[in-house]
Structure formats: structure tokens, C-alpha cells
């Protein structure tokens, strides 16, 4: 691939050459310092995004002026949104940037829309960062970025190398964690994802920006942190954070010290030039000798994973809603020829990706910024809901819905590309005697009356919960009939509920009414009790003197005060489910947890309402287990990682698992949630857990907004503290035998984030049946792993006939060695794709609407994939293809 900055500098300005271009003395150290002129610009931090919008213009004009003054000056730019802002606000400046890109003096790197937090966004979000960013660069400048760059985020998940390779980038540069924060001491190394994909990585020494004067301090401190045997080194300079960029004093000092030979040869360069020089300097043998890193790059500021609960919740909801809108828009583009809403979905994704910025999603920005974030993510959700509502109504109108006197048809849509069994909660009207629920064939489905949201209405408004069995990415017709369900005719007699016991055929939970927490959680098919003998409190409140980021924090898993249990109430006890309400209080705060057990559930759902009124405190929800020899596993984007059981505060996606042994048999507990990202797994004997190992979720922290230690807060000062007020979230406790792979945690997490949608429908004729699936995936029982579809969308590029092809992305989720064969069945198009997946591998397929065109594998920017991506066969026979599944771009 052509490098970003290799084009000849044919239009370099003429004039006197800087004195720094003279030959340095012979005693100059034998090394080349690639001086990277940049202007890191925080899109949101101690200022709102509107201020950064203007600063992008000012900074970029400054960079253009430096190019006019210094023929050898090169400017490095990442965060593609900055270019988009300038394009729409200052066309003259944008055209000058285009000219300098063509010269090779303006170098676009990173390839992502913003520098996001690199732990909390979903796997699909990391794909879309590059999809939007790289396609923007290709469309405006004719070439993508080849070097990934995230200089400021606080940690980096290990799936990033595979994602970068799928987006056309083979190198990566970053700053954090520093050598004092991890065991990462090499500046140059290979960073490898679990599938084997590698990028050549460079940890920036010291800092990514500098003061406006001489670079001597920046250079000396950078050299002091370098630990590499190569003669090619990279040092960043330029005024940053609020933008600014390289100054005349910066550049003049580089020329001066290069002439003096003080530090070695100093050249104004760019990351792509540096990585090319590094490869050439090391050669094949030297590259092979570089250390290989095969895990996350952590830790810096782990408190950011629990700061500001609101932004975490808003982002999760927005991610799920936009993915949902893509799926249904893709379906109706085929079924009804509706135009795929590219512009609306692009706008929604831009809002989602922008708000993943590394000083916004981590909760470290100023308070007013979160009003903008709420509105922007709300816009993404609103766009998505409009698309989904239209699609569902268009589809529902085509279903054959026979008229039945006195009944209300209901269509339930499943957004997930796998079958889902779930309980639907539905509000209805004009049925004062209640309702019961049947499917299209009139077969009774378990249901029960629940409390209506219309609590002041006396006009017959009601609510019902019922069990829906839904086909993959499809729908099913149900019907509300008058008259409440007769308990003995629905549900299971195995469901039993009191204020001390919740039990069905699969799970038995016992509750201590004094503490309000579980003393036992039995996996009934094996008889294993994962809580047997466990001790320790479920709620732990402690003082939190740490700053907003949690700088220098290793663990929040310390001792804490338990909340007082105020009341335990059995709120629901019906044929479908039971619900036990537990109320607690501490200080001025209250916590309500409602334990929900379905009649046939293999897990215990907990619905949480927290009214938090404490300042500079945190609340851990802790889950002690009665397990020995435990190991902890965390979900990360597109995969999992095992980490030490040591109480460290760690980031994760939606779930954490502790697996060990009970009486010598393997068992464990998986905790899945829909809103939190800060966790720990703590060993027995630690201050947090006493005699039992445990999982901890940091439910809330309340630091001062944008307080950056070591600044000392004024004891008499007036400050605004985060997370004051009501928040709601859910988690699910899944006891299991064997390891975490038995729990299907990945799918559970996605189902928690995006529930199926039920809509009241009318009676009418139509060509569609009462139940249908549009896309599904089957995994060979002989394979070791599991494959999950993460995206179903319209292709970014129109088909030759102008139609919108489908793009389907899937990944192997267990990480087990070996090849897993999956069959993607696109019932929507009557096509089938059989594909091999290596461990943790991500693969993307374009499925044409035109049956005469073949299915094609594409990369994460939706360009044709390289031929080494592993075998797949479209419309294949039953036997699996022959191949290895590929390593996805491994060096």
C-alpha cells in the first residue's frame, strides 16, 4: 500500500534553506530522531466541542503557515473529524490541506474518526471508527492511513491489532501506559491479537506534545525513556491538547540541534516515514527479534471506567440502537425496495463515534460537555428509532393477520441474528379484565399481569408480560385475548417464590432477609452451589479521594460499609416469573434491587435503581463465591481476556466470570450487566472479600468533575460532584458448570443491551407468514468455538445495478484453538455462506442482492479482502470447506 507521505514534494516553496540543513559534525550520535510535528487536539475536555471546532481551523492554518516558512516541515494529523469540520467550515483551508497531502508534507494517520477510549466502546464501534475515517481519507485525498495512532487514550484492548489490519493499517503508535504504569518497557515491539494479527507498535517516549519554545527538554526527556536497540527513534513535538501545533521556535531549535549534532540526526518526519525507516534499519532478523506483546496495553487511570455513569449508559444504548436500525433498514431495502438511509445512519454513527472520545466517554470532561453528549447520543437513538419504526410497520403490514373478535394482534421483532426466548413487557388498553396471550396458532404462551406505567389511569390501561419465542433476525405474531391468564394453565409448577427462596427447575436462590443478599445459588442440573460457604458483603461503600480519572489507582477493592437492608418484598409471584424487591439505604442514598426469576430461566436477573447522594464516595456491588482455585475472565471488544485474580480495577465490556472448583468439580459465576465498565476479581483473604473470592462491579463513583490530581481541592471550595441522583441498570447472575463458555455470555449481553420490540398491530391480509427469519448463523457441532454475527448492514458501495447489497460481519467468540465452521443463512436473499473461523477471528462478507453475483469477503473498510483470509464457500453443500481459517493479516 502506498504510504501517506511518499509523494514527491514538487511544490515545496523556494527560498533560503534553514541552517539546520547543514551537515552535522562527525561526532554526532549514530541515530536518527524522527521529529513528529503534530497538534493533539482534545475535541472535548476542559472546553466544549464547539471550542475545538474553531481551534481546528486555527491550528490547521498555523500548520499551513509553517509549511510556507520551512520547506522541510511535515505535519502529522489524526482524528478525521477535524478534517471534516474544516472541510465544512473553511473550504479554502481544506483545499490547501489537499495540496499539502499531495506533496507529502501533510500526513494523515490514525484512520479513525476520533481518538476514542480504547476499552469501553463495542467491537463494532472500533470497526466503524476506521470505516468512516479511512473511507473519508480515500474519498478526499485518494489514500487511507497506514499507521494507527491513539496518543492520548488511557489503555488499549488487545483486539485492536486485528481491527487495524482489517482497516489497512500495519503500525500503531501510542503513549499510555508508560513504563512506570506497566511491564511494558520496550518502545518498539510487535503487538498481536489472539487471532495472530500483528502490528508494529511504538510507545511514544515521554509526551506527545511540547511547550512552544525549544524542543531541548522534550528531546532529552524522550531519550531518557527510550529502550530500544534501533537507530531509528520517534519523538513528538508541537503545542497540543487545546491545539496549536508546532511553532517557529520548535522548528528552529530542531534545526539548530541537528546542526550541532547534540542528540543525533534530527529530521522533520512523520509516523509512516519512521516505521519504514525502522523496518529498514532492523531488517528481517531484527524485526523477528522484537518482543511480542499478546495482551492488553494497560493501566492508566482505571477510575475512568466508572466515572460518570450517564455517558456509559447513553453510549451503550446508542450503539445498540444504531446497529438495530442498520439491520432493519437492510431488511426492508430488500423486501420492499426502500432506499437504504445512508445519510441518516452516517449521521447517527458520527454522533456515536464522536462521543467515544477519550476525554468524554471516560467521564473526565467538564460538566457542561455531558449535556451535549446526552443530546448528541439522543439524536443517534432518535434517528435509529425512526428507521426501525418505519421498517417494522412496513413489514407488519405484509403479515397475514386474521381478524378475531375482541383480540389485539401483537408482532414481536427480534433484532438478533439468533433465536431468542425472552419475556416481553407490553402496555395495552381497553381490557379492564386483563388479557392472556396466545401465538398465531392459538397456543397459550406463559404470561402474567404486571403493573402498568399508566398508574393514574382508570380507563382500562394495563400491562402484561409474556414469553416470546422468536426466530433469528425476524418476527413472530402473537395475540392478546380478553381475560387474565388462569395460573394453573400457564407457566411451570416448578416456579416457587417466597421472601427467602426463588426457585425453578434450573436454579435455586436463597436470600438472607437480614442482609438482603444471596446465601446460595444452586445450578440444579449438577447440584453445584457456586455461593456455598461464601462470605462478605454484597454492597460496599467507601471514601474515594481519587481524582476523576483515578490516576495512580491500582484497586478500588478495599473494605467498605454495607448498606442497611430496609425491606424485602415479594412483588410478583405468577406463572411466568417471580420478582423479589430488596430495599437498602446508607447515608442519603438508597438502593433497590429487584431479583427476577423466570419460570424456566437458568439465571437470576437483578434490576437496580440507585439514588446516589454521596460525594467523593464509591459503591461496589460485590458477588462473593464459594469457589477454589479461581481464574477471572473479562469480555473485551470481539473477545475475552483472562486476567490475574488480584483485585485490580479493570475495564471490560459487559461481563466478568469467575471459574474455579466446588468439591473438586469445575463451576463458576458469570455476571452480565448493561451499563457498567469498571470491575475487579479479588482473591479470598483480600480486604474486600474476607474468606471468599469475589467479583466486584464499581456501580458508582462521585468525584469532582475534571479534577486532575495532583491539584489539591480547596476544603472550602464549592464543587460539582458526579453521578448525583437516580440511575438504573440491570445485571444477570449466571451460575454454571464447566467454564464461562457454557453461559453464552456474549449473546446474553447483547440481548440485555437491545431487547426485542413488540408492537400492537391491526388485522389485515398479507403475503407474509406469522413467523419468519431473515438471517441466522449455524455453527458446526464438530467445531471448538462459536460464531456470533455482530453486524448486518447495507454495503457502503452501491451494487452495479444500483441496489444495496448486504454486509454481514461475524466473529469467533470463544478463543478456543482450532477451526470453527459456521453457516450464515441469509433467508432474506435465499443465499448461504459457509465459512471457517480461526480463534477470535473477525470476518466480513458482502452478499449481493443479485443472485448472479458471487458472495465476496471484504475487509473492515469494505474493500475486497486479501486472498489469505481463510476459506469460505457461498451457497455451499453441507460439507465444510478445506482450509485453516487464516490468521487475518499476520506478518
Amino acid at each position: 500500500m502506498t504510504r501517506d507521505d511518499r509523494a514527491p514534494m514538487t511544490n515545496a516553496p523556494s527560498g533560503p534553506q534553514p541552517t539546520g540543513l547543514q551537515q552535522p559534525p562527525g561526532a554526532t550520535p549514530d541515530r536518527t530522531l524522527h521529529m513528529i510535528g503534530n497538534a493533539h487536539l482534545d475535541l472535548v475536555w476542559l472546553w466544549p466541542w464547539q471550542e475545538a471546532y474553531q481551534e481546528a481551523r486555527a491550528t490547521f492554518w498555523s500548520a499551513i503557515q509553517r509549511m510556507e516558512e520551512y520547506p522541510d516541515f511535515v505535519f502529522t494529523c489524526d482524528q478525521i473529524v477535524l478534517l471534516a469540520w474544516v472541510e465544512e467550515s473553511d473550504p479554502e483551508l481544506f483545499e490547501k490541506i489537499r495540496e499539502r497531502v499531495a506533496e507529502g508534507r501533510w500526513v494523515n494517520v490514525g484512520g479513525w474518526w476520533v481518538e476514542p477510549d480504547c476499552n469501553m466502546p463495542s467491537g463494532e464501534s472500533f470497526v466503524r471508527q476506521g470505516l468512516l475515517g479511512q473511507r473519508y481519507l480515500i474519498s478526499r485525498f485518494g489514500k487511507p492511513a497506514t499507521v494507527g495512532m491513539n496518543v492520548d487514550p488511557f489503555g488499549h484492548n488487545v483486539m485492536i491489532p486485528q481491527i487495524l489490519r482489517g482497516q489497512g493499517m500495519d503500525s500503531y503508535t501510542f503513549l499510555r501506559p508508560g513504563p512506570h504504569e506497566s511491564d511494558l518497557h520496550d518502545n518498539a515491539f510487535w503487538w498481536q491479537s489472539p487471532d495472530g494479527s500483528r502490528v508494529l507498535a511504538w510507545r511514544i517516549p515521554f509526551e506527545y506534545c511540547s511547550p512552544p519554545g525549544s524542543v531541548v527538554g522534550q528531546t532529552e526527556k524522550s531519550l531518557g525513556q527510550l529502550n530500544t536497540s534501533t537507530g531509528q527513534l520517534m519523538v513528538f513535538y508541537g503545542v497540543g491538547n487545546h491545539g496549536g501545533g508546532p511553532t517557529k521556535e520548535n522548528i528552529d531549535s530542531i534545526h539548530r540541534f541537528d546542526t550541532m549534532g547534540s542528540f543525533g540526526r534530527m529530521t522533520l518526519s512523520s509516523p509512516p516515514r519512521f516505521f519504514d525507516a525502522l523496518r529498514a534499519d532492523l531488517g528481517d532478523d531484527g524485526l523477528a527479534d522484537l518482543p511480542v506483546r499478546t495482551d492488553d496495553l494497560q493501566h492508566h487511570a482505571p477510575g475512568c471506567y466508572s466515572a460518570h455513569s450517564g455517558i456509559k449508559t447513553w453510549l451503550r444504548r446508542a450503539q445498540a440502537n444504531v446497529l438495530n436500525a442498520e439491520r432493519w433498514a437492510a431488511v426492508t431495502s430488500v423486501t420492499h425496495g426502500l432506499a437504504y438511509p445512508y445519510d441518516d445512519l452516517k449521521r447517527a454513527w458520527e454522533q456515536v463515534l464522536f462521543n467515544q472520545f477519550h476525554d468524554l466517554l471516560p467521564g473526565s470532561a467538564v460538566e457542561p460537555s455531558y449535556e451535549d453528549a446526552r443530546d448528541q447520543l439522543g439524536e443517534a437513538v432518535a434517528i435509529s428509532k425512526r428507521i426501525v419504526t418505519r421498517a417494522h410497520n412496513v413489514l407488519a403490514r405484509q403479515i397475514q393477520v386474521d381478524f378475531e373478535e375482541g383480540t389485539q394482534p401483537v408482532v414481536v421483532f427480534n433484532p438478533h441474528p439468533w433465536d431468542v426466548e425472552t419475556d416481553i413487557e407490553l402496555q395495552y388498553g381497553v381490557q379492564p379484565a386483563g388479557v392472556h396471550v396466545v401465538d398465531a396458532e392459538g397456543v397459550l404462551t406463559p404470561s402474567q399481569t404486571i403493573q402498568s406505567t399508566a398508574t393514574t389511569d382508570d380507563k382500562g390501561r394495563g400491562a402484561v408480560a409474556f414469553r416470546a419465542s422468536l426466530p433469528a433476525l425476524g418476527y413472530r405474531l402473537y395475540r392478546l385475548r380478553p381475560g387474565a391468564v388462569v395460573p394453573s394453565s400457564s407457566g411451570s409448577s416448578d416456579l416457587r417464590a417466597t421472601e427467602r427462596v426463588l426457585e425453578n427447575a434450573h436454579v435455586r436462590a436463597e436470600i438472607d432477609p437480614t442482609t438482603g443478599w444471596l446465601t446460595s445459588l444452586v445450578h440444579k442440573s449438577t447440584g453445584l452451589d457456586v455461593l456455598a460457604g461464601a462470605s462478605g458483603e454484597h454492597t460496599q461503600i467507601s471514601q474515594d479521594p481519587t481524582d476523576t480519572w483515578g490516576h495512580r489507582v491500582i484497586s478500588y477493592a478495599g473494605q467498605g460499609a454495607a448498606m442497611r437492608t430496609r425491606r424485602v418484598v415479594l412483588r410478583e409471584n405468577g406463572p411466568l416469573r417471580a420478582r423479589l424487591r430488596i430495599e437498602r439505604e446508607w447515608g442519603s442514598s438508597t438502593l433497590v434491587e429487584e431479583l427476577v426469576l423466570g419460570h424456566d430461566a437458568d439465571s437470576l436477573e437483578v434490576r437496580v435503581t440507585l439514588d446516589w447522594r454521596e460525594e467523593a464516595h464509591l459503591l461496589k456491588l460485590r458477588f462473593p463465591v464459594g469457589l477454589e482455585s479461581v481464574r477471572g475472565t473479562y469480555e473485551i471488544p470481539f473477545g475475552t481476556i483472562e486476567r490475574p485474580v488480584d483485585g485490580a480495577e479493570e475495564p471490560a465490556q459487559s461481563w466478568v466470570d469467575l471459574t474455579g472448583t466446588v468439591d473438586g468439580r469445575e463451576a463458576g459465576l458469570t455476571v452480565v450487566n448493561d451499563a457498567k465498565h469498571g470491575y475487579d476479581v479479588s482473591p479470598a483473604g483480600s480486604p474486600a472479600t474476607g474468606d471468599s473470592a469475589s467479583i466486584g462491579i464499581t456501580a458508582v463513583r462521585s468525584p469532582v468533575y475534571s479534577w486532575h490530581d495532583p491539584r489539591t481541592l480547596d476544603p472550602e471550595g464549592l464543587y460539582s460532584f458526579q453521578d448525583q441522583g437516580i440511575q438504573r441498570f440491570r445485571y444477570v447472575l449466571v451460575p454454571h458448570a464447566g467454564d464461562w463458555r457454557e453461559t453464552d455470555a456474549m449473546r446474553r449481553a447483547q440481548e440485555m443491551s437491545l431487547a426485542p420490540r413488540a408492537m400492537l398491530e391491526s388485522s389485515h391480509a398479507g403475503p407474509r407468514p406469522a413467523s419468519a427469519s431473515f438471517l441466522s448463523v449455524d455453527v458446526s457441532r464438530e467445531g471448538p468455538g462459536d460464531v456470533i454475527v455482530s453486524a448486518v448492514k447495507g454495503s457502503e458501495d452501491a451494487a452495479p445495478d444500483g441496489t444495496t447489497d448486504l454486509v454481514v460481519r461475524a466473529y469467533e467468540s470463544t478463543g478456543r484453538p482450532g477451526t470453527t465452521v459456521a453457516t450464515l443463512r441469509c433467508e432474506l436473499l435465499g443465499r448461504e455462506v459457509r465459512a471457517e473461523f480461526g480463534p477470535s477471528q473477525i470476518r466480513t462478507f458482502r452478499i449481493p442482492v443479485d443472485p448472479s453475483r458471487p458472495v465476496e469477503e471484504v475487509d473492515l473498510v469494505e474493500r475486497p479482502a486479501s486472498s489469505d483470509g481463510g476459506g469460505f464457500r457461498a451457497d455451499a453443500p453441507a460439507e465444510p470447506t478445506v482450509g485453516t481459517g487464516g490468521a487475518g493479516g499476520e506478518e
Side-chain angles (χ1 to χ4, degrees):
M1 183 177 295
T2 302
R3 290 290 180 183
D4 294 353
D5 59 342
R6 286 180 172 174
M9 294 163 46
T10 55
N11 298 320
S14 60
Q17 294 297 301
T19 58
L21 298 182
Q22 300 173 11
Q23 188 72 21
T28 298
D30 186 18
R31 60 192 177 202
T32 300
L33 273 63
H34 294 255
M35 305 301 293
I36 309 301
N38 78 112
H40 177 69
L41 179 54
D42 282 320
L43 308 175
V44 179
W45 181 25
L46 306 181
W47 45 84
W49 70 266
Q50 295 92 336
E51 193 168 321
Y53 189 101
Q54 185 279 329
E55 183 56 39
R57 282 193 301 109
T59 295
F60 286 1
W61 269 119
S62 176
I64 293 294
Q65 290 164 359
R66 298 294 83 75
M67 290 180 184
E68 294 172 352
E69 296 158 351
Y70 298 91
D72 60 335
F73 174 64
V74 179
F75 183 72
T76 292
C77 173
D78 77 333
Q79 302 201 105
I80 309 308
V81 69
L82 298 174
L83 293 165
W85 283 350
V86 168
E87 182 184 19
E88 69 183 9
S89 65
D90 195 335
E92 178 187 359
L93 172 58
F94 191 76
E95 188 55 37
K96 288 183 178 294
I97 292 171
R98 287 169 58 92
E99 294 171 0
R100 296 305 187 181
V101 169
E103 292 177 2
R105 300 179 63 200
W106 183 293
V107 182
N108 293 314
V109 298
W112 286 5
W113 198 243
V114 305
E115 285 192 16
D117 174 85
C118 290
N119 282 307
M120 289 182 281
S122 68
E124 272 301 316
S125 285
F126 288 106
V127 170
R128 305 316 173 91
Q129 287 284 352
L131 181 70
L132 264 67
Q134 291 285 61
R135 293 182 72 92
Y136 181 92
L137 293 178
I138 293 168
S139 66
R140 270 55 168 196
F141 305 104
K143 52 188 174 182
T146 58
V147 175
M149 184 163 126
N150 281 305
V151 301
D152 204 15
F154 311 141
H156 311 255
N157 78 81
V158 73
M159 298 299 287
I160 287 177
Q162 183 180 180
I163 293 169
L164 291 173
R165 293 307 299 260
Q167 294 166 342
M169 291 177 274
D170 58 12
S171 313
Y172 190 63
T173 187
F174 66 100
L175 176 69
R176 301 186 179 93
H180 62 294
E181 296 171 316
S182 72
D183 60 352
L184 179 64
H185 301 296
D186 297 286
N187 294 91
F189 61 96
W190 291 109
W191 190 22
Q192 180 172 301
S193 289
D195 77 312
S197 301
R198 286 184 177 183
V199 291
L200 183 56
W202 177 265
R203 183 183 61 78
I204 299 168
F206 181 56
E207 259 292 0
Y208 52 77
C209 57
S210 69
S214 170
V215 300
V216 63
Q218 184 82 358
T219 304
E220 288 179 339
K221 291 179 179 178
S222 296
L223 288 172
Q225 282 197 8
L226 284 167
N227 181 16
T228 180
S229 60
T230 178
Q232 304 293 326
L233 312 171
M234 184 161 56
V235 176
F236 281 64
Y237 74 96
V239 179
N241 290 336
H242 197 274
T247 66
K248 294 180 181 180
E249 291 84 352
N250 287 161
I251 300 170
D252 287 341
S253 69
I254 293 171
H255 289 149
R256 183 170 65 254
F257 289 117
D258 179 50
T259 300
M260 296 168 59
S262 304
F263 306 112
R265 296 175 297 275
M266 302 180 76
T267 179
L268 303 185
S269 187
S270 69
R273 289 182 186 175
F274 163 75
F275 281 109
D276 282 348
L278 180 63
R279 287 182 169 93
D281 185 68
L282 290 173
D284 292 343
D285 291 341
L287 288 169
D289 289 340
L290 286 177
V292 179
R293 188 84 182 200
T294 58
D295 61 356
D296 286 350
L297 305 178
Q298 312 289 3
H299 299 88
H300 178 87
C304 72
Y305 304 118
S306 49
H308 203 291
S309 298
I311 185 69
K312 275 74 167 173
T313 301
W314 304 333
L315 179 70
R316 284 228 200 162
R317 181 176 60 194
Q319 287 176 150
N321 275 269
V322 180
L323 287 169
N324 188 33
E326 284 183 337
R327 293 171 184 179
W328 292 113
V331 168
T332 53
S333 73
V334 174
T335 59
H336 290 77
L338 298 183
Y340 190 76
Y342 286 104
D343 291 343
D344 285 345
L345 288 168
K346 180 174 180 288
R347 177 63 177 167
W349 271 118
E350 286 175 352
Q351 299 291 48
V352 169
L353 300 180
F354 182 86
N355 283 281
Q356 293 167 358
F357 181 71
H358 61 260
D359 270 319
L360 188 57
L361 179 56
S364 47
V366 291
E367 186 173 9
S369 299
Y370 292 98
E371 295 181 8
D372 287 335
R374 175 202 62 205
D375 296 344
Q376 290 165 344
L377 291 170
E379 180 187 12
V381 172
I383 289 171
S384 302
K385 287 187 174 181
R386 285 195 296 270
I387 292 171
V388 170
T389 299
R390 181 194 184 194
H392 285 177
N393 276 269
V394 166
L395 289 167
R397 178 62 185 84
Q398 297 297 309
I399 301 172
Q400 175 69 35
V401 184
D402 296 330
F403 177 76
E404 183 179 317
E405 183 72 33
T407 68
Q408 173 65 64
V410 176
V411 181
V412 185
F413 292 91
N414 175 21
H416 302 290
W418 55 83
D419 294 349
V420 169
E421 290 268 338
T422 190
D423 292 343
I424 299 295
E425 296 184 1
L426 181 68
Q427 308 289 313
Y428 61 85
V430 200
Q431 291 290 356
V435 299
H436 59 279
V437 184
V438 297
D439 64 15
E441 287 72 42
V443 177
L444 195 68
T445 188
S447 65
Q448 69 186 56
T449 299
I450 60 174
Q451 182 174 332
S452 170
T453 57
T455 52
T456 61
D457 186 79
D458 61 354
K459 306 299 182 183
R461 292 292 296 180
V464 65
F466 66 93
R467 171 57 52 84
S469 299
L470 306 173
L473 190 58
Y475 66 85
R476 191 174 184 189
L477 176 65
Y478 288 89
R479 193 180 297 274
L480 308 184
R481 286 179 173 171
V485 67
V486 179
S488 61
S489 65
S490 179
S492 169
S493 59
D494 291 323
L495 181 63
R496 184 168 72 92
T498 69
E499 292 182 351
R500 300 198 62 167
V501 174
L502 295 175
E503 182 177 13
N504 63 17
H506 307 290
V507 176
R508 175 184 170 88
E510 295 185 12
I511 299 95
D512 182 340
T514 302
T515 66
W517 191 238
L518 305 179
T519 59
S520 175
L521 185 60
V522 178
H523 183 262
K524 292 179 72 173
S525 65
T526 62
L528 296 174
D529 185 352
V530 297
L531 304 189
S535 63
E537 297 290 347
H538 171 54
T539 56
Q540 293 180 330
I541 295 178
S542 58
Q543 289 186 338
D544 177 15
T546 62
D547 70 8
T548 316
W549 287 257
H551 284 114
R552 288 172 285 283
V553 166
I554 297 175
S555 174
Y556 287 117
Q559 292 178 321
M563 302 186 84
R564 184 180 71 86
T565 302
R566 187 170 63 189
R567 188 167 69 139
V568 178
V569 178
L570 185 60
R571 183 177 174 187
E572 292 182 18
N573 187 8
L576 180 68
R577 70 187 188 194
R579 189 195 310 212
L580 186 65
R581 179 183 176 92
I582 301 164
E583 300 175 357
R584 298 182 179 88
E585 62 185 4
W586 189 91
S588 301
S589 302
T590 61
L591 174 71
V592 175
E593 292 187 299
E594 294 194 331
L595 281 56
V596 180
L597 181 65
H599 73 279
D600 58 354
D602 62 355
S603 59
L604 185 65
E605 178 187 355
V606 183
R607 303 182 182 185
V608 181
T609 302
L610 172 63
D611 189 355
W612 186 250
R613 304 291 173 176
E614 314 307 323
E615 298 177 348
H617 281 70
L618 67 84
L619 167 64
K620 276 276 189 183
L621 295 181
R622 189 155 294 285
F623 307 93
V625 295
L627 303 171
E628 297 179 346
S629 303
V630 294
R631 57 187 185 275
T633 303
Y634 298 73
E635 184 193 16
I636 62 174
F638 286 134
T640 64
I641 191 168
E642 189 171 317
R643 294 177 176 142
V645 180
D646 59 5
E649 188 77 358
E650 301 279 5
Q653 291 280 291
S654 299
W655 60 265
V656 173
D657 176 81
L658 262 182
T659 293
T661 60
V662 176
D663 298 330
R665 293 185 292 170
E666 190 173 49
L669 177 69
T670 305
V671 183
V672 188
N673 88 94
D674 68 348
K676 303 299 176 183
H677 288 284
Y679 305 86
D680 70 84
V681 287
S682 295
S686 64
T689 60
D691 296 333
S692 304
S694 68
I695 297 169
I697 295 178
T698 306
V700 65
R701 291 179 61 230
S702 48
V704 171
Y705 277 93
S706 292
W707 170 40
H708 197 314
D709 185 57
R711 182 192 172 191
T712 302
L713 297 176
D714 181 355
E716 303 301 322
L718 299 176
Y719 301 102
S720 183
F721 292 82
Q722 290 190 357
D723 277 3
Q724 302 298 294
I726 294 176
Q727 58 172 284
R728 295 179 175 86
F729 59 96
R730 294 183 299 154
Y731 62 86
V732 174
L733 304 178
V734 189
H736 61 84
D739 71 9
W740 59 266
R741 295 172 181 84
E742 307 299 324
T743 68
D744 210 7
M746 297 287 196
R747 288 185 175 86
R748 290 179 192 264
Q750 292 191 37
E751 290 171 23
M752 286 188 73
S753 294
L754 182 63
R757 176 177 180 262
M759 60 174 283
L760 304 177
E761 183 53 34
S762 57
S763 300
H764 46 67
R768 293 195 173 276
S771 179
S773 170
F774 299 110
L775 186 140
S776 61
V777 58
D778 289 337
V779 179
S780 169
R781 294 183 181 273
E782 298 176 1
D786 189 19
V787 172
I788 293 178
V789 172
S790 62
V792 179
K793 61 185 291 293
S795 171
E796 296 296 314
D797 299 309
D801 61 359
T803 59
T804 300
D805 292 340
L806 263 61
V807 168
V808 179
R809 185 162 24 259
Y811 66 99
E812 198 288 312
S813 64
T814 70
R816 281 179 169 145
T819 299
T820 299
V821 179
T823 302
L824 301 174
R825 290 194 171 88
C826 185
E827 291 90 345
L828 184 64
L829 297 175
R831 306 193 74 166
E832 185 174 287
V833 180
R834 291 177 62 82
E836 298 172 348
F837 288 78
S840 304
Q841 187 181 15
I842 307 165
R843 302 189 71 177
T844 309
F845 303 94
R846 181 187 290 123
I847 307 176
V849 174
D850 180 355
S852 68
R853 292 172 51 226
V855 175
E856 180 181 26
E857 182 163 16
V858 295
D859 67 11
L860 299 183
V861 188
E862 299 188 17
R863 302 168 299 188
S866 60
S867 60
D868 63 353
F872 84 93
R873 185 178 302 166
D875 304 321
E879 67 272 10
T881 57
V882 177
T884 63
E890 182 178 0
E891 286 286 330

